[in-house]
Amino acid sequence: MRPSGRGWLLRLVIAFAFAQGAVSMARPAVSYRALSLGADERAIGVIAGVYALLPLFAAVPLGRRTDHGRCAPLLPVGVVLVSGGCALSGTAHSLLAMAAWSGVMGLGHLCFVIGGQSLVARQSPPAEQDRNFGYFTIGASLGQLVGPVAAGAVIGADMARTSALALLASAAVGALSLASLWRIEHRAPAAPRAAHAKVPVHRILRTRGVPAGIFISLAVLSATDVLTAYLPVIGEHRGIAPSAVGLLLSLRAAATIACRLVMTPMIRAVGRTVLLAVSCLLGGLLCAGAALPVPVWALALMLAALGFCLGVGQPLSMTTVVRAAPAEARSTALALRLTGNRLGQVAAPASAGLLAGAAGAAAPFVMLGVLLAAASGLAARQGRPHTEPEGRPHGAGEACPREGEANEKEAGARRADRAGTRRADKGVR
């Protein structure tokens, strides 16, 4: 992107860092607040589940709305819901209220992510989508790195008071992102969207590349979530201090950020298909390797490498979905990807818990290895040549990924559309 056009992306990354930091700070604080109100493990699980389950019903409608309108309004709405959910969780005095405000927080996070991803997809030239999605997810990684540390610094022995304070602080952190959202969307729309008919969800899900992108994203996010939840269990079994476990998790997050900073050179060196497939495969091997009784220094090296590998999956899965989906349904396709993420956030920890109870604490890491290996196979399969039969309308049925790469400004003429696609391909390579 030309230097004059980078301002909106930088401000979006900053806003996402604050919004994600607020959520990452609030989620452990919610658990501590619920414990202070007398919650048991089951109640905490329900409260955590509401955060992921409630947005499942809103993702597709929000994507539909964004496909045929502006992206930017979802961003401040998401911030208000996140900050409001954090603040009200800090003042809640019942577990039912905690669950409700946790759901509001999850809905706000969903609004922000759909708006942000749609904005990147709409305002990035096809050849720059991988890089810009990588930068966008750096905001999330920064928030995930700092948020839990900030929560741990605030929450102390007086759990009821300090957890409430942490939640109010997270609300303030989230509100800071509003300062970066002014005039973030280009005034001129990328394409006249009102003329497009609504694409059915089942057609989007049958489009070549969309299911693969959703599954890859689900696998990578599940690996990150389960790793965060079960590394302390591994540490307890092996006698690793909690402070060391925290450093290991921070190392993983830092490696993910480093990966996304060098995303463009890696794509140029090996190609996006090879990079996505190899990173998922290596990530699967490293996840399975974490189940082995290795020394702490070796575990640190493995987690750093794993964090680097996991940094590839999320931004490239966004690009995979955007390029595969019909041009008039890209926000809906991204919303379906987020729906898959939320399902993974519910199902993966539950499955990991069942495996850990039956086969030991190391079993979830083997499960993650298998999941990432399957994602690698799907990524490699998407790289096979595929041509669209002549005469098939753009975006209908099994859409060709090359057609999905066309610049939306040239969507009025098919010949110009295909010429733009060829230029975009050369830029990506």
Side-chain angles (χ1 to χ4, degrees):
M1 187 178 299
R2 293 183 297 272
S4 60
R6 289 178 180 172
W8 69 271
L9 182 59
L10 176 61
R11 288 187 283 115
L12 182 61
V13 171
I14 292 171
F16 196 16
F18 280 114
Q20 183 65 57
V23 171
S24 298
M25 185 177 180
R27 293 199 71 188
V30 164
S31 296
Y32 285 115
R33 176 73 174 166
L35 287 171
S36 72
L37 295 175
D40 57 12
E41 291 81 357
R42 183 180 301 175
I44 290 175
V46 170
I47 292 171
V50 170
Y51 172 89
L53 283 174
L54 186 60
L56 289 177
F57 303 99
V60 172
L62 286 173
R64 293 285 194 202
R65 177 229 165 269
T66 308
D67 274 323
H68 301 285
R70 297 177 60 218
C71 309
L74 276 182
L75 300 174
V77 169
V79 171
V80 169
L81 290 175
V82 166
S83 293
C86 292
L88 292 168
S89 294
T91 59
H93 295 286
S94 71
L95 296 179
L96 183 61
M98 290 291 296
W101 300 132
S102 179
V104 169
M105 193 191 311
L107 183 61
H109 186 260
L110 178 78
C111 288
F112 191 99
V113 174
I114 288 179
Q117 289 183 4
S118 300
L119 194 66
V120 173
R122 190 173 296 180
Q123 297 189 172
S124 301
E128 298 178 358
Q129 284 176 346
D130 286 322
R131 186 197 66 184
N132 289 355
F133 275 126
Y135 287 162
F136 175 69
T137 54
I138 285 176
S141 298
L142 287 171
Q144 291 165 356
L145 179 64
V146 176
V149 176
V154 174
I155 299 171
D158 186 357
M159 194 182 297
R161 184 182 66 83
T162 56
S163 62
L165 182 61
L167 285 164
L168 293 174
S170 66
V173 169
L176 291 174
S177 63
L178 290 171
S180 298
L181 296 179
W182 52 274
R183 298 179 64 182
I184 201 167
E185 187 171 14
H186 297 164
R187 291 189 178 184
R193 298 176 179 273
H196 291 298
K198 185 180 292 186
V199 182
V201 169
H202 67 84
R203 181 182 297 175
I204 299 172
L205 290 175
R206 288 205 308 265
T207 302
R208 186 178 189 270
V210 172
I214 292 173
F215 184 82
I216 291 166
S217 178
L218 182 155
V220 171
L221 185 64
S222 296
T224 303
D225 278 6
V226 173
L227 180 69
T228 302
Y230 279 89
L231 191 62
V233 180
I234 290 286
E236 183 68 21
H237 281 238
R238 299 182 188 175
I240 304 173
S243 58
V245 171
L247 288 175
L248 290 172
L249 290 172
S250 295
L251 180 63
R252 195 278 311 162
T256 297
I257 295 173
C259 167
R260 288 166 180 170
L261 288 172
V262 296
M263 184 82 68
T264 300
M266 289 193 297
I267 292 172
R268 288 173 180 166
V270 300
R272 64 190 316 278
T273 298
V274 173
L275 180 62
L276 188 54
V278 171
S279 66
C280 287
L281 181 59
L282 289 178
L285 294 174
L286 289 165
C287 273
L292 301 174
V294 297
V296 174
W297 64 267
L299 186 60
L301 291 176
M302 292 170 64
L303 288 176
L306 176 59
F308 195 89
C309 291
L310 294 179
V312 173
Q314 292 288 50
L316 290 194
S317 69
M318 293 179 198
T319 313
T320 298
V321 169
V322 165
R323 292 180 174 180
E328 64 273 24
R330 287 174 177 168
S331 293
T332 304
L334 286 169
L336 289 169
R337 175 186 167 277
L338 290 173
T339 301
N341 285 353
R342 290 294 187 266
L343 287 173
Q345 286 181 302
V346 174
S351 302
L354 291 174
L355 281 174
F365 293 90
V366 178
M367 177 197 77
L368 294 177
V370 173
L371 193 64
L372 286 169
S376 174
L378 277 176
R381 188 177 180 185
Q382 294 310 304
R384 295 177 183 175
H386 176 76
T387 57
E388 183 180 19
E390 288 296 326
R392 177 180 291 183
H394 172 58
E398 297 289 318
C400 177
R402 292 175 61 90
E403 287 289 321
E405 295 178 17
N407 192 320
E408 291 181 12
K409 292 180 180 179
E410 302 172 316
R414 178 173 302 198
R415 185 173 300 172
D417 192 32
R418 289 177 177 172
T421 301
R422 288 194 293 271
R423 289 194 296 272
D425 282 342
K426 292 178 182 178
V428 172
R429 294 192 191 106

